[in-house]
Amino acid sequence: MSLKAFHIAFVTASTLLSFGFGGWLLNEYFRGGASLTYLVFGLVSFLAGAGLIWYGKYFLKKLKHISYL
């Protein structure tokens, strides 16, 4: 596996983890019993996921001439 392929896999896993964590935090906040911190960190986590999507697209565009092998 090349460094490019590993990087794409790692960014994809990080993006999914960020959205999953943000969804869990927002779910806990809206179910009740959680502090405002859950809402803030949930929104920050979704912003981080969006930033990772942007970074993944930027990375693929920048290194499109390099092979995945």
Side-chain angles (χ1 to χ4, degrees):
M1 178 185 285
S2 72
L3 189 59
K4 179 180 178 181
F6 176 77
H7 196 80
I8 291 169
F10 189 75
V11 169
T12 301
S14 298
T15 303
L16 292 173
L17 181 65
S18 179
F19 282 127
F21 184 63
W24 175 73
L25 285 171
L26 291 178
N27 183 39
E28 288 296 315
Y29 175 74
F30 287 118
R31 277 197 317 170
S35 66
L36 185 63
T37 308
Y38 279 60
L39 176 65
V40 172
F41 284 140
L43 295 175
V44 168
S45 184
F46 273 100
L47 287 175
L52 283 166
I53 288 174
W54 174 84
Y55 173 73
K57 287 182 179 181
Y58 169 77
F59 180 79
L60 286 175
K61 188 176 185 181
K62 184 176 179 180
L63 297 178
K64 65 181 173 186
H65 62 282
I66 296 183
S67 171
Y68 288 101
L69 299 174

